[in-house]
Amino acid sequence: MLLIVLLQRVLGFEVDSINSVQFSNHTGYSHWKGQVLTADELHVLYEGIKLNNVNHYDYVLTGYTRDTSFLEMVVDIVQELKRANPNLVYVCDPVLGDHGSMYVPQNLHPVYKNKVVPVADIITPNQFEAELLTGKNISTEKDAVEVMDLLHKMGPDTVVITSSDLPPRLGDRFLVSFGSQRILMPDGTRKTQRIRIEVPKVDAVFVGTGDLFAAMLLAWTHHYPTDLKTACEKTFSVMHHVIQRTISYAHEMAGPGRRPSPSQLELRMVQSKADIEDPAIVMEATVL
């Protein structure tokens, strides 16, 4: 549903959305009920699309899953779609964990590393996920650049490390993110643009920000396919506007001195429509 709202109705993309889970609510709440789509069920849905000859896509976007067979089915589908359209762009958020620990089964790691990342064109790992996929720790900006280069060698032409623990130049109220894009030049050589961007921290736990980020990056790299700096400035600025509107609303609803509830922290997507369509740039990237 998030992709339909963002990409189809707001940003002009026609989207066929397949829910990998069908839950009553997101898992930031204390309780949830629902179903998880299996690999076989995904295959059946895709076969239905194929039978009607409407399996012609420019982009594929995937996020969180907990099942290796489901992930392997995604890879099979992406490879088939790329055979039909070699220009198809696969955007993958390789959700594995954060802050030094995995929150998906460990057997997903080799599937992402050996099967998913090699067919992806754009990936959006956090620092922990980037380190896990490459086997290299990030302790300096130089390390971050080397890790992104390693990820390029694995397949993707565009890598954005969405957050890191590196010290920000703007102070400890910020997080540091990095991006790197390999661009094929007319003479057949490749040029790499690398950027660094610092974003304000927010003292709250949101659910859906990774989905929002990947969807926005897809949209803005579509509009700026060879300008990662602008695409990231647009993407991170959307994130800032949505999160600030959400946290302001949540604190207002919770009242003075009270911590907002999960329902109060639901991302204010509808209220942020104008910012999603045309964000005021409040995050400026530095070219490395």
Side-chain angles (χ1 to χ4, degrees):
M1 184 60 70
L2 176 64
L3 298 185
I4 293 173
V5 173
L6 288 180
L7 300 181
Q8 183 177 32
R9 297 180 183 172
V10 177
L11 293 174
F13 288 77
E14 293 289 344
V15 177
D16 290 340
S17 179
I18 294 178
N19 294 328
S20 57
V21 297
Q22 186 73 26
F23 286 169
S24 56
N25 46 270
H26 67 63
T27 56
Y29 289 83
S30 300
H31 308 283
W32 64 89
K33 298 287 185 178
Q35 302 81 37
V36 177
L37 195 71
T38 67
D40 288 341
E41 290 165 340
L42 173 61
H43 179 68
V44 168
L45 290 173
Y46 178 63
E47 285 298 308
I49 293 171
K50 281 174 60 179
L51 287 171
N52 289 300
N53 195 32
V54 290
N55 58 325
H56 310 293
Y57 297 98
D58 299 303
Y59 291 92
V60 174
L61 171 59
T62 63
Y64 176 81
T65 183
R66 293 183 59 85
D67 182 73
T68 55
S69 61
F70 187 93
L71 203 52
E72 288 169 339
M73 181 60 66
V74 167
V75 171
D76 290 343
I77 291 172
V78 168
Q79 289 175 325
E80 183 171 316
L81 292 173
K82 283 194 170 193
R83 285 193 291 271
N85 175 16
N87 294 319
L88 179 142
V89 174
Y90 173 32
V91 182
C92 173
D93 182 8
V95 181
L96 289 164
D98 204 358
H99 303 299
S101 62
M102 294 183 66
Y103 43 62
V104 298
Q106 291 194 0
N107 59 0
L108 263 70
H109 173 219
V111 180
Y112 271 113
K113 181 175 181 178
N114 300 321
K115 297 183 179 181
V116 179
V117 173
V119 301
D121 300 282
I122 300 174
I123 59 171
T124 59
N126 57 39
Q127 176 179 335
F128 172 72
E129 291 160 344
E131 291 174 334
L132 205 58
L133 290 169
T134 60
K136 180 177 175 60
N137 291 332
I138 298 175
S139 302
T140 64
E141 185 176 285
K142 181 175 179 289
D143 291 337
V145 170
E146 289 175 356
V147 163
M148 291 189 292
D149 285 345
L150 288 172
L151 289 167
H152 284 319
K153 290 177 181 177
M154 293 169 68
D157 282 333
T158 301
V159 177
V160 177
I161 299 177
T162 56
S163 62
S164 75
D165 298 326
L166 297 187
R169 294 165 185 163
L170 298 177
D172 58 9
R173 295 176 62 187
F174 287 78
L175 289 171
V176 183
S177 301
F178 295 94
S180 181
Q181 183 178 52
R182 293 189 306 185
I183 303 166
L184 183 63
M185 305 303 288
D187 63 1
T189 62
R190 288 186 180 272
K191 179 182 75 172
T192 303
Q193 182 189 61
R194 301 184 182 93
I195 60 106
R196 171 190 175 116
I197 191 165
E198 300 195 5
V199 297
K201 291 180 181 178
V202 177
D203 184 23
V205 177
F206 303 97
V207 175
T209 51
D211 297 326
L212 174 60
F213 185 91
M216 289 296 94
L217 188 65
L218 185 160
W220 291 115
T221 53
H222 171 78
H223 290 296
Y224 300 94
T226 60
D227 185 357
L228 183 63
K229 180 179 186 294
T230 299
C232 282
E233 288 174 343
K234 294 270 191 180
T235 298
F236 279 101
S237 292
V238 170
M239 299 299 298
H240 175 79
H241 294 308
V242 173
I243 288 172
Q244 288 302 314
R245 184 170 287 108
T246 301
I247 198 67
S248 296
Y249 170 83
H251 283 312
E252 180 183 346
M253 291 296 101
R258 301 187 65 181
R259 196 163 187 85
S261 67
S263 62
Q264 292 163 343
L265 287 168
E266 293 273 7
L267 294 176
R268 306 291 284 171
M269 302 300 305
V270 174
Q271 297 79 5
S272 302
K273 177 177 179 290
D275 291 316
I276 291 168
E277 291 176 308
D278 186 20
I281 302 302
V282 293
M283 302 287 153
E284 186 171 347
T286 301
V287 176
L288 301 177

